[in-house]
Amino acid sequence: MSNIGNDIQYKIYQTMFNPDPNRLPVIYEEWEAWAREVLEDGPFYYIAGGAGGEDTMKANLAAFDRWKITPRMLRAVEDRDTTVELFGKTYPFPFLQAPIGVQSIIHPEGELASAKASAGMGVPYIASSASTKPMEEIAEAMGDAPKWFQLYWSKDPDITASFLQRAENAGYSAIVVTLDTPMLAWRENDLKNVYLPFLIGEGVGNYLSDPAFRSKLEKPPEEDPTAAIMYWTQIFGNTSLTWDDISFLREHTSLPIVLKGIVHSEDAQKALEYGVDGIIVSNHGGRQVDGALGALEALPIICDIIQDQIPVLMDSGIRRGADVVKAIALGAKAVLVGRPCMYGLAVAGEQGVTEVLQNMIADMDITMALAGGRSVGKLDKAMLTKSDR
């Protein structure tokens, strides 16, 4: 049982006696605005932007606004349980850091800073296939802290198999398979800025260090980096995949397999039929399909199908503690936080990510208590009212 929200809140208030002129933001919008100041157009909009006219990004936020918390009183909420169990492991908070690639464009320490921040908070870090630092280096920086690996399923099966084995050997404890990115979406800001960081060697660290990838090149990447990147453009993503290909993953890893990008009820049913271990309800933060359903709108639909047979997690649109409470009340076991952490990374590296995470955790804990909740695991839909607007 804990009181972390109060502890963090009063720690901030106590700085009134010793003001810090360089104090980092608390408000999400201020993190975003500061990140806009320190990043050039290309990197900023690569992180902040979405697909097409960005209607899905708006839908993600609107979906949270339609659900209203209905607080209950006199519930004895002094001591609270914020823990969550996933795949046999207990974590202190219902948070994971979402897989985001190419973090070297945001801060020089990139993924290493984000991973260390996660490790310090006990929040599982999901390392991206598209990280600039190889997965082994990220794992080493985290030590024994919890970490999962996100797989972009390559056209080349040898590379996919190699990634899976490397992740298992490096100590990652689950595989998150991103299904909604078999190809890059039409992203107007990136096209306007003519900005795709992979083409300048960012975000390809796992590929350039991979023995299967390197074996397909005429010359090592160190000798001919342009040819290596051009090969990457040929094998990234895989539009030919079907549900029957799930068996390939099972052949090459013993780790739990979590499918990220499920928003349709029939796909949730397929996930059960094909024996996957978990689902992440996600529309990639609005970065893949413009005009899509908000992720929170999809969450209860998916949970109705899954019926607690496997864990359901959720991302896309998490900005504050109240968002986390709503997502968990609607059936998510935990949430993934993405853009807020990247804004923290841009502003202040590891410390920025740490403060974003700790403040969001505190906000969630306090909001849960004020709503009458004592345990993350017991939040349910009864504490919410859906607005018609």
Side-chain angles (χ1 to χ4, degrees):
M1 307 299 280
S2 75
N3 222 322
I4 188 170
N6 303 76
D7 293 341
I8 291 173
Q9 178 171 244
Y10 284 115
K11 185 177 179 182
I12 294 172
Y13 281 132
Q14 285 167 5
T15 63
M16 68 183 290
F17 301 110
N18 186 24
D20 180 0
N22 300 312
R23 192 166 79 87
L24 294 173
V26 172
I27 299 170
Y28 166 76
E29 289 80 5
E30 292 182 2
W31 283 107
E32 183 178 18
W34 197 342
R36 170 70 280 228
E37 290 180 14
V38 300
L39 293 175
E40 295 181 359
D41 287 356
F44 177 77
Y45 286 107
Y46 185 83
I47 296 300
E54 300 185 343
D55 284 345
T56 304
M57 289 180 63
K58 298 167 192 170
N60 284 335
L61 301 181
F64 280 97
D65 194 45
R66 281 192 287 272
W67 287 99
K68 307 298 183 182
I69 298 170
T70 311
R72 299 293 304 276
M73 301 296 120
L74 299 174
R75 290 295 187 99
V77 296
E78 178 66 20
D79 295 311
R80 300 176 292 280
D81 182 4
T82 60
T83 61
V84 61
E85 182 178 327
L86 296 169
F87 309 121
K89 299 177 186 288
T90 299
Y91 302 114
F93 315 110
F95 286 76
L96 298 89
Q97 195 174 158
I100 297 178
V102 208
Q103 293 185 29
S104 54
I105 67 173
I106 306 171
H107 189 274
E109 295 181 10
E111 294 90 7
L112 298 183
S114 297
K116 290 175 183 176
S118 264
M121 294 297 299
V123 170
Y125 179 78
I126 308 179
S128 172
S129 283
S131 61
T132 298
K133 297 292 185 181
M135 66 182 87
E136 292 84 359
E137 191 172 341
I138 296 169
E140 184 178 359
M142 296 189 70
D144 294 331
K147 47 195 168 287
W148 297 6
F149 180 74
Q150 176 266 343
L151 177 72
Y152 279 126
W153 199 325
S154 172
K155 261 184 201 142
D156 188 322
D158 294 336
I159 294 171
T160 299
S162 180
F163 273 28
L164 292 169
Q165 192 60 59
R166 287 172 63 192
E168 195 160 345
N169 291 342
Y172 292 87
S173 58
I175 300 295
V176 174
V177 186
T178 295
L179 299 180
D180 57 20
T181 314
M183 66 179 79
L184 294 178
W186 184 262
R187 299 175 184 168
E188 292 180 359
N189 279 306
D190 294 344
L191 292 164
K192 172 187 173 182
N193 294 318
V194 195
Y195 188 76
L196 186 61
F198 304 103
L199 298 184
I200 54 174
E202 307 282 0
V204 292
N206 283 315
Y207 296 86
L208 301 187
S209 61
D210 189 75
F213 181 90
R214 294 172 68 92
S215 72
K216 309 301 174 76
L217 305 174
E218 290 186 8
K219 295 180 180 179
E222 297 80 10
E223 294 182 20
D224 193 347
T226 300
I229 291 168
M230 287 302 101
Y231 183 62
W232 176 89
T233 65
Q234 297 171 34
I235 56 87
F236 178 80
N238 191 341
T239 55
S240 67
L241 294 169
T242 70
W243 284 96
D244 289 338
D245 291 306
I246 295 294
S247 61
F248 179 88
L249 303 177
R250 288 291 183 205
E251 291 170 10
H252 291 94
T253 184
S254 61
L255 297 177
I257 295 171
V258 184
L259 301 185
K260 183 175 185 289
I262 301 294
V263 292
H264 195 289
S265 59
E266 291 183 14
D267 286 341
Q269 185 61 50
K270 285 282 191 183
L272 289 177
E273 292 172 7
Y274 280 82
V276 302
D277 302 290
I279 282 174
I280 300 173
V281 176
S282 169
N283 56 35
H284 214 96
R287 289 170 57 75
Q288 281 300 104
V289 177
D290 194 25
L293 183 71
L296 193 75
E297 293 289 348
L299 178 61
I301 298 170
I302 302 305
C303 290
D304 283 347
I305 298 295
I306 298 301
Q307 293 291 315
D308 287 325
Q309 295 176 72
I310 57 176
V312 175
L313 291 75
M314 181 265 172
D315 76 14
S316 302
I318 300 290
R319 298 292 181 264
R320 287 184 164 88
D323 300 332
V324 182
V325 170
K326 292 175 184 181
I328 294 173
L330 288 174
K333 299 298 182 188
V335 301
L336 281 61
V337 182
R339 284 188 179 94
C341 291
M342 294 303 96
Y343 297 146
L345 178 65
V347 171
E350 179 182 344
Q351 183 187 359
V353 179
T354 297
E355 294 214 11
V356 166
L357 287 172
Q358 75 173 14
N359 291 347
M360 195 176 288
I361 289 166
D363 185 9
M364 180 274 299
D365 179 46
I366 290 171
T367 302
M368 177 177 72
L370 292 174
R374 295 182 65 240
S375 171
V376 163
K378 293 183 180 178
L379 300 180
D380 60 31
K381 199 173 179 179
M383 71 184 299
L384 303 178
T385 301
K386 193 168 188 181
S387 169
D388 292 333
R389 72 178 183 84

